[in-house]
Each structure stands twice: as C-alpha cells, then as structure tokens.
PDB file of all heavy atoms in Angstrom:
ATOM      1  N   GLU A   1      44.317   6.920  -3.213  1.00  0.00           N
ATOM      2  CA  GLU A   1      43.757   7.530  -2.015  1.00  0.00           C
ATOM      3  C   GLU A   1      44.263   8.963  -1.841  1.00  0.00           C
ATOM      4  O   GLU A   1      43.490   9.873  -1.533  1.00  0.00           O
ATOM      5  CB  GLU A   1      44.112   6.698  -0.781  1.00  0.00           C
ATOM      6  CG  GLU A   1      43.668   7.278   0.549  1.00  0.00           C
ATOM      7  CD  GLU A   1      42.153   7.372   0.692  1.00  0.00           C
ATOM      8  OE1 GLU A   1      41.434   6.608   0.016  1.00  0.00           O
ATOM      9  OE2 GLU A   1      41.679   8.217   1.489  1.00  0.00           O
ATOM     10  N   PHE A   2      45.581   9.200  -2.045  1.00  0.00           N
ATOM     11  CA  PHE A   2      46.070  10.576  -1.895  1.00  0.00           C
ATOM     12  C   PHE A   2      45.963  11.373  -3.198  1.00  0.00           C
ATOM     13  O   PHE A   2      45.769  12.583  -3.164  1.00  0.00           O
ATOM     14  CB  PHE A   2      47.495  10.617  -1.321  1.00  0.00           C
ATOM     15  CG  PHE A   2      48.561   9.894  -2.118  1.00  0.00           C
ATOM     16  CD1 PHE A   2      49.100  10.444  -3.269  1.00  0.00           C
ATOM     17  CD2 PHE A   2      49.058   8.674  -1.676  1.00  0.00           C
ATOM     18  CE1 PHE A   2      50.095   9.792  -3.978  1.00  0.00           C
ATOM     19  CE2 PHE A   2      50.060   8.009  -2.378  1.00  0.00           C
ATOM     20  CZ  PHE A   2      50.578   8.568  -3.534  1.00  0.00           C
ATOM     21  N   ILE A   3      46.056  10.699  -4.350  1.00  0.00           N
ATOM     22  CA  ILE A   3      45.914  11.426  -5.617  1.00  0.00           C
ATOM     23  C   ILE A   3      44.496  11.967  -5.777  1.00  0.00           C
ATOM     24  O   ILE A   3      44.287  13.095  -6.239  1.00  0.00           O
ATOM     25  CB  ILE A   3      46.265  10.515  -6.810  1.00  0.00           C
ATOM     26  CG1 ILE A   3      47.732  10.099  -6.762  1.00  0.00           C
ATOM     27  CG2 ILE A   3      45.980  11.219  -8.139  1.00  0.00           C
ATOM     28  CD1 ILE A   3      48.098   9.035  -7.779  1.00  0.00           C
ATOM     29  N   SER A   4      43.519  11.159  -5.391  1.00  0.00           N
ATOM     30  CA  SER A   4      42.113  11.533  -5.590  1.00  0.00           C
ATOM     31  C   SER A   4      41.730  12.786  -4.814  1.00  0.00           C
ATOM     32  O   SER A   4      40.786  13.483  -5.184  1.00  0.00           O
ATOM     33  CB  SER A   4      41.193  10.379  -5.177  1.00  0.00           C
ATOM     34  OG  SER A   4      41.307  10.111  -3.780  1.00  0.00           O
ATOM     35  N   LYS A   5      42.460  13.067  -3.749  1.00  0.00           N
ATOM     36  CA  LYS A   5      42.124  14.228  -2.933  1.00  0.00           C
ATOM     37  C   LYS A   5      42.421  15.545  -3.651  1.00  0.00           C
ATOM     38  O   LYS A   5      41.837  16.578  -3.334  1.00  0.00           O
ATOM     39  CB  LYS A   5      42.871  14.169  -1.599  1.00  0.00           C
ATOM     40  CG  LYS A   5      42.359  13.096  -0.646  1.00  0.00           C
ATOM     41  CD  LYS A   5      43.132  13.111   0.658  1.00  0.00           C
ATOM     42  CE  LYS A   5      42.473  12.229   1.715  1.00  0.00           C
ATOM     43  NZ  LYS A   5      42.341  10.825   1.286  1.00  0.00           N
ATOM     44  N   TYR A   6      43.381  15.511  -4.630  1.00  0.00           N
ATOM     45  CA  TYR A   6      43.726  16.773  -5.283  1.00  0.00           C
ATOM     46  C   TYR A   6      43.480  16.773  -6.789  1.00  0.00           C
ATOM     47  O   TYR A   6      43.543  17.835  -7.408  1.00  0.00           O
ATOM     48  CB  TYR A   6      45.185  17.141  -5.001  1.00  0.00           C
ATOM     49  CG  TYR A   6      46.215  16.292  -5.713  1.00  0.00           C
ATOM     50  CD1 TYR A   6      46.512  16.488  -7.060  1.00  0.00           C
ATOM     51  CD2 TYR A   6      46.928  15.308  -5.027  1.00  0.00           C
ATOM     52  CE1 TYR A   6      47.470  15.720  -7.715  1.00  0.00           C
ATOM     53  CE2 TYR A   6      47.891  14.537  -5.668  1.00  0.00           C
ATOM     54  CZ  TYR A   6      48.153  14.746  -7.008  1.00  0.00           C
ATOM     55  OH  TYR A   6      49.096  13.990  -7.649  1.00  0.00           O
ATOM     56  N   SER A   7      43.236  15.623  -7.402  1.00  0.00           N
ATOM     57  CA  SER A   7      43.084  15.579  -8.854  1.00  0.00           C
ATOM     58  C   SER A   7      41.997  16.556  -9.303  1.00  0.00           C
ATOM     59  O   SER A   7      40.819  16.380  -8.983  1.00  0.00           O
ATOM     60  CB  SER A   7      42.720  14.163  -9.310  1.00  0.00           C
ATOM     61  OG  SER A   7      42.561  14.133 -10.719  1.00  0.00           O
ATOM     62  N   PRO A   8      42.354  17.603 -10.040  1.00  0.00           N
ATOM     63  CA  PRO A   8      41.379  18.669 -10.340  1.00  0.00           C
ATOM     64  C   PRO A   8      40.133  18.174 -11.074  1.00  0.00           C
ATOM     65  O   PRO A   8      39.013  18.585 -10.735  1.00  0.00           O
ATOM     66  CB  PRO A   8      42.184  19.648 -11.201  1.00  0.00           C
ATOM     67  CG  PRO A   8      43.594  19.443 -10.771  1.00  0.00           C
ATOM     68  CD  PRO A   8      43.707  17.973 -10.505  1.00  0.00           C
ATOM     69  N   TYR A   9      40.311  17.307 -12.061  1.00  0.00           N
ATOM     70  CA  TYR A   9      39.177  16.872 -12.879  1.00  0.00           C
ATOM     71  C   TYR A   9      38.128  16.161 -12.041  1.00  0.00           C
ATOM     72  O   TYR A   9      36.919  16.304 -12.289  1.00  0.00           O
ATOM     73  CB  TYR A   9      39.684  15.965 -14.005  1.00  0.00           C
ATOM     74  CG  TYR A   9      38.636  15.501 -14.977  1.00  0.00           C
ATOM     75  CD1 TYR A   9      37.842  16.400 -15.680  1.00  0.00           C
ATOM     76  CD2 TYR A   9      38.459  14.129 -15.225  1.00  0.00           C
ATOM     77  CE1 TYR A   9      36.893  15.958 -16.585  1.00  0.00           C
ATOM     78  CE2 TYR A   9      37.519  13.686 -16.135  1.00  0.00           C
ATOM     79  CZ  TYR A   9      36.732  14.600 -16.807  1.00  0.00           C
ATOM     80  OH  TYR A   9      35.796  14.153 -17.716  1.00  0.00           O
ATOM     81  N   GLN A  10      38.568  15.389 -11.070  1.00  0.00           N
ATOM     82  CA  GLN A  10      37.630  14.654 -10.221  1.00  0.00           C
ATOM     83  C   GLN A  10      37.064  15.509  -9.088  1.00  0.00           C
ATOM     84  O   GLN A  10      36.188  15.047  -8.354  1.00  0.00           O
ATOM     85  CB  GLN A  10      38.309  13.404  -9.630  1.00  0.00           C
ATOM     86  CG  GLN A  10      38.395  12.223 -10.581  1.00  0.00           C
ATOM     87  CD  GLN A  10      39.455  12.398 -11.641  1.00  0.00           C
ATOM     88  OE1 GLN A  10      40.447  13.070 -11.416  1.00  0.00           O
ATOM     89  NE2 GLN A  10      39.257  11.790 -12.811  1.00  0.00           N
ATOM     90  N   ASN A  11      37.566  16.727  -8.927  1.00  0.00           N
ATOM     91  CA  ASN A  11      37.132  17.548  -7.802  1.00  0.00           C
ATOM     92  C   ASN A  11      36.437  18.846  -8.225  1.00  0.00           C
ATOM     93  O   ASN A  11      36.304  19.768  -7.413  1.00  0.00           O
ATOM     94  CB  ASN A  11      38.339  17.871  -6.908  1.00  0.00           C
ATOM     95  CG  ASN A  11      38.716  16.703  -6.019  1.00  0.00           C
ATOM     96  OD1 ASN A  11      38.072  16.430  -5.015  1.00  0.00           O
ATOM     97  ND2 ASN A  11      39.772  15.983  -6.409  1.00  0.00           N
ATOM     98  N   VAL A  12      35.985  18.907  -9.474  1.00  0.00           N
ATOM     99  CA  VAL A  12      35.206  20.065  -9.913  1.00  0.00           C
ATOM    100  C   VAL A  12      33.872  20.076  -9.165  1.00  0.00           C
ATOM    101  O   VAL A  12      33.192  19.045  -9.060  1.00  0.00           O
ATOM    102  CB  VAL A  12      34.965  20.017 -11.429  1.00  0.00           C
ATOM    103  CG1 VAL A  12      33.973  21.100 -11.854  1.00  0.00           C
ATOM    104  CG2 VAL A  12      36.286  20.176 -12.183  1.00  0.00           C
ATOM    105  N   SER A  13      33.516  21.231  -8.647  1.00  0.00           N
ATOM    106  CA  SER A  13      32.293  21.346  -7.850  1.00  0.00           C
ATOM    107  C   SER A  13      31.396  22.453  -8.387  1.00  0.00           C
ATOM    108  O   SER A  13      31.877  23.536  -8.725  1.00  0.00           O
ATOM    109  CB  SER A  13      32.643  21.650  -6.389  1.00  0.00           C
ATOM    110  OG  SER A  13      31.482  21.992  -5.654  1.00  0.00           O
ATOM    111  N   PRO A  14      30.093  22.201  -8.444  1.00  0.00           N
ATOM    112  CA  PRO A  14      29.163  23.274  -8.822  1.00  0.00           C
ATOM    113  C   PRO A  14      28.782  24.148  -7.634  1.00  0.00           C
ATOM    114  O   PRO A  14      28.092  25.165  -7.803  1.00  0.00           O
ATOM    115  CB  PRO A  14      27.947  22.502  -9.338  1.00  0.00           C
ATOM    116  CG  PRO A  14      27.959  21.227  -8.541  1.00  0.00           C
ATOM    117  CD  PRO A  14      29.408  20.896  -8.296  1.00  0.00           C
ATOM    118  N   ASP A  15      29.241  23.773  -6.443  1.00  0.00           N
ATOM    119  CA  ASP A  15      28.763  24.418  -5.227  1.00  0.00           C
ATOM    120  C   ASP A  15      29.713  25.476  -4.681  1.00  0.00           C
ATOM    121  O   ASP A  15      29.381  26.161  -3.721  1.00  0.00           O
ATOM    122  CB  ASP A  15      28.520  23.365  -4.140  1.00  0.00           C
ATOM    123  CG  ASP A  15      27.499  22.326  -4.576  1.00  0.00           C
ATOM    124  OD1 ASP A  15      26.528  22.707  -5.250  1.00  0.00           O
ATOM    125  OD2 ASP A  15      27.689  21.133  -4.260  1.00  0.00           O
ATOM    126  N   ARG A  16      30.936  25.589  -5.264  1.00  0.00           N
ATOM    127  CA  ARG A  16      31.888  26.596  -4.814  1.00  0.00           C
ATOM    128  C   ARG A  16      32.014  27.681  -5.891  1.00  0.00           C
ATOM    129  O   ARG A  16      31.754  27.436  -7.067  1.00  0.00           O
ATOM    130  CB  ARG A  16      33.260  25.985  -4.534  1.00  0.00           C
ATOM    131  CG  ARG A  16      33.226  24.899  -3.472  1.00  0.00           C
ATOM    132  CD  ARG A  16      34.630  24.438  -3.115  1.00  0.00           C
ATOM    133  NE  ARG A  16      35.368  25.465  -2.379  1.00  0.00           N
ATOM    134  CZ  ARG A  16      36.608  25.295  -1.925  1.00  0.00           C
ATOM    135  NH1 ARG A  16      37.259  24.154  -2.174  1.00  0.00           N
ATOM    136  NH2 ARG A  16      37.225  26.262  -1.248  1.00  0.00           N
ATOM    137  N   THR A  17      32.406  28.863  -5.478  1.00  0.00           N
ATOM    138  CA  THR A  17      32.592  29.964  -6.414  1.00  0.00           C
ATOM    139  C   THR A  17      34.030  29.950  -6.906  1.00  0.00           C
ATOM    140  O   THR A  17      34.962  30.164  -6.125  1.00  0.00           O
ATOM    141  CB  THR A  17      32.278  31.310  -5.738  1.00  0.00           C
ATOM    142  OG1 THR A  17      30.923  31.293  -5.274  1.00  0.00           O
ATOM    143  CG2 THR A  17      32.480  32.455  -6.721  1.00  0.00           C
ATOM    144  N   TYR A  18      34.205  29.687  -8.197  1.00  0.00           N
ATOM    145  CA  TYR A  18      35.538  29.642  -8.790  1.00  0.00           C
ATOM    146  C   TYR A  18      35.859  30.975  -9.459  1.00  0.00           C
ATOM    147  O   TYR A  18      34.962  31.626 -10.026  1.00  0.00           O
ATOM    148  CB  TYR A  18      35.631  28.548  -9.857  1.00  0.00           C
ATOM    149  CG  TYR A  18      35.607  27.135  -9.351  1.00  0.00           C
ATOM    150  CD1 TYR A  18      35.569  26.075 -10.246  1.00  0.00           C
ATOM    151  CD2 TYR A  18      35.641  26.827  -7.988  1.00  0.00           C
ATOM    152  CE1 TYR A  18      35.557  24.755  -9.819  1.00  0.00           C
ATOM    153  CE2 TYR A  18      35.621  25.518  -7.538  1.00  0.00           C
ATOM    154  CZ  TYR A  18      35.573  24.476  -8.455  1.00  0.00           C
ATOM    155  OH  TYR A  18      35.554  23.180  -8.025  1.00  0.00           O
ATOM    156  N   PRO A  19      37.126  31.366  -9.452  1.00  0.00           N
ATOM    157  CA  PRO A  19      37.512  32.542 -10.238  1.00  0.00           C
ATOM    158  C   PRO A  19      37.517  32.200 -11.720  1.00  0.00           C
ATOM    159  O   PRO A  19      37.612  31.020 -12.094  1.00  0.00           O
ATOM    160  CB  PRO A  19      38.931  32.835  -9.743  1.00  0.00           C
ATOM    161  CG  PRO A  19      39.465  31.497  -9.339  1.00  0.00           C
ATOM    162  CD  PRO A  19      38.281  30.763  -8.757  1.00  0.00           C
ATOM    163  N   PRO A  20      37.430  33.172 -12.610  1.00  0.00           N
ATOM    164  CA  PRO A  20      37.544  32.892 -14.044  1.00  0.00           C
ATOM    165  C   PRO A  20      38.888  32.223 -14.349  1.00  0.00           C
ATOM    166  O   PRO A  20      39.920  32.586 -13.774  1.00  0.00           O
ATOM    167  CB  PRO A  20      37.452  34.275 -14.694  1.00  0.00           C
ATOM    168  CG  PRO A  20      36.773  35.125 -13.673  1.00  0.00           C
ATOM    169  CD  PRO A  20      37.196  34.604 -12.339  1.00  0.00           C
ATOM    170  N   VAL A  21      38.863  31.268 -15.264  1.00  0.00           N
ATOM    171  CA  VAL A  21      40.081  30.558 -15.634  1.00  0.00           C
ATOM    172  C   VAL A  21      40.181  30.492 -17.150  1.00  0.00           C
ATOM    173  O   VAL A  21      39.184  30.291 -17.848  1.00  0.00           O
ATOM    174  CB  VAL A  21      40.123  29.145 -15.017  1.00  0.00           C
ATOM    175  CG1 VAL A  21      38.939  28.297 -15.458  1.00  0.00           C
ATOM    176  CG2 VAL A  21      41.435  28.438 -15.358  1.00  0.00           C
ATOM    177  N   LEU A  22      41.398  30.708 -17.665  1.00  0.00           N
ATOM    178  CA  LEU A  22      41.704  30.500 -19.076  1.00  0.00           C
ATOM    179  C   LEU A  22      42.554  29.241 -19.171  1.00  0.00           C
ATOM    180  O   LEU A  22      43.633  29.167 -18.575  1.00  0.00           O
ATOM    181  CB  LEU A  22      42.464  31.695 -19.659  1.00  0.00           C
ATOM    182  CG  LEU A  22      43.022  31.513 -21.077  1.00  0.00           C
ATOM    183  CD1 LEU A  22      41.899  31.332 -22.093  1.00  0.00           C
ATOM    184  CD2 LEU A  22      43.923  32.693 -21.461  1.00  0.00           C
ATOM    185  N   ILE A  23      42.077  28.255 -19.932  1.00  0.00           N
ATOM    186  CA  ILE A  23      42.805  27.006 -20.127  1.00  0.00           C
ATOM    187  C   ILE A  23      43.307  26.961 -21.566  1.00  0.00           C
ATOM    188  O   ILE A  23      42.519  27.122 -22.502  1.00  0.00           O
ATOM    189  CB  ILE A  23      41.908  25.789 -19.825  1.00  0.00           C
ATOM    190  CG1 ILE A  23      41.458  25.824 -18.355  1.00  0.00           C
ATOM    191  CG2 ILE A  23      42.630  24.488 -20.128  1.00  0.00           C
ATOM    192  CD1 ILE A  23      40.532  24.668 -17.960  1.00  0.00           C
ATOM    193  N   THR A  24      44.603  26.748 -21.733  1.00  0.00           N
ATOM    194  CA  THR A  24      45.186  26.688 -23.078  1.00  0.00           C
ATOM    195  C   THR A  24      45.957  25.389 -23.242  1.00  0.00           C
ATOM    196  O   THR A  24      46.518  24.853 -22.287  1.00  0.00           O
ATOM    197  CB  THR A  24      46.143  27.865 -23.344  1.00  0.00           C
ATOM    198  OG1 THR A  24      47.370  27.674 -22.624  1.00  0.00           O
ATOM    199  CG2 THR A  24      45.521  29.188 -22.946  1.00  0.00           C
ATOM    200  N   THR A  25      45.995  24.896 -24.485  1.00  0.00           N
ATOM    201  CA  THR A  25      46.763  23.687 -24.781  1.00  0.00           C
ATOM    202  C   THR A  25      47.096  23.679 -26.267  1.00  0.00           C
ATOM    203  O   THR A  25      46.864  24.657 -26.981  1.00  0.00           O
ATOM    204  CB  THR A  25      45.991  22.423 -24.372  1.00  0.00           C
ATOM    205  OG1 THR A  25      46.860  21.289 -24.465  1.00  0.00           O
ATOM    206  CG2 THR A  25      44.772  22.200 -25.246  1.00  0.00           C
ATOM    207  N   SER A  26      47.676  22.559 -26.727  1.00  0.00           N
ATOM    208  CA  SER A  26      48.050  22.404 -28.127  1.00  0.00           C
ATOM    209  C   SER A  26      47.634  21.031 -28.618  1.00  0.00           C
ATOM    210  O   SER A  26      47.863  20.026 -27.926  1.00  0.00           O
ATOM    211  CB  SER A  26      49.569  22.573 -28.287  1.00  0.00           C
ATOM    212  OG  SER A  26      49.998  22.068 -29.530  1.00  0.00           O
ATOM    213  N   THR A  27      47.036  20.982 -29.788  1.00  0.00           N
ATOM    214  CA  THR A  27      46.661  19.694 -30.384  1.00  0.00           C
ATOM    215  C   THR A  27      47.882  18.822 -30.599  1.00  0.00           C
ATOM    216  O   THR A  27      47.809  17.588 -30.480  1.00  0.00           O
ATOM    217  CB  THR A  27      45.944  19.920 -31.727  1.00  0.00           C
ATOM    218  OG1 THR A  27      44.928  20.913 -31.560  1.00  0.00           O
ATOM    219  CG2 THR A  27      45.327  18.636 -32.252  1.00  0.00           C
ATOM    220  N   ARG A  28      49.028  19.446 -30.920  1.00  0.00           N
ATOM    221  CA  ARG A  28      50.247  18.703 -31.239  1.00  0.00           C
ATOM    222  C   ARG A  28      51.113  18.424 -30.018  1.00  0.00           C
ATOM    223  O   ARG A  28      52.248  17.979 -30.158  1.00  0.00           O
ATOM    224  CB  ARG A  28      51.065  19.472 -32.275  1.00  0.00           C
ATOM    225  CG  ARG A  28      50.461  19.506 -33.652  1.00  0.00           C
ATOM    226  CD  ARG A  28      50.480  18.126 -34.306  1.00  0.00           C
ATOM    227  NE  ARG A  28      51.850  17.664 -34.557  1.00  0.00           N
ATOM    228  CZ  ARG A  28      52.163  16.429 -34.922  1.00  0.00           C
ATOM    229  NH1 ARG A  28      51.215  15.527 -35.055  1.00  0.00           N
ATOM    230  NH2 ARG A  28      53.413  16.092 -35.144  1.00  0.00           N
TER     231      ARG A  28
END
C-alpha cells in the first residue's frame, strides 16, 4: 500500500511532462 505510491516503474505516466533522464547500469 505504501510502496506502490512511490515505486517509479509502476508510476510512469504519459500525461505528465518529465525532464530528460539518463539511465545507466551494468550487465555484471
């Protein structure tokens, strides 16, 4: 109930204007 309110993946919206984001990670 409280996690769902902020979990980014579940809260992506097409209706808000997001700033550009660079996402980086590592396969390993």
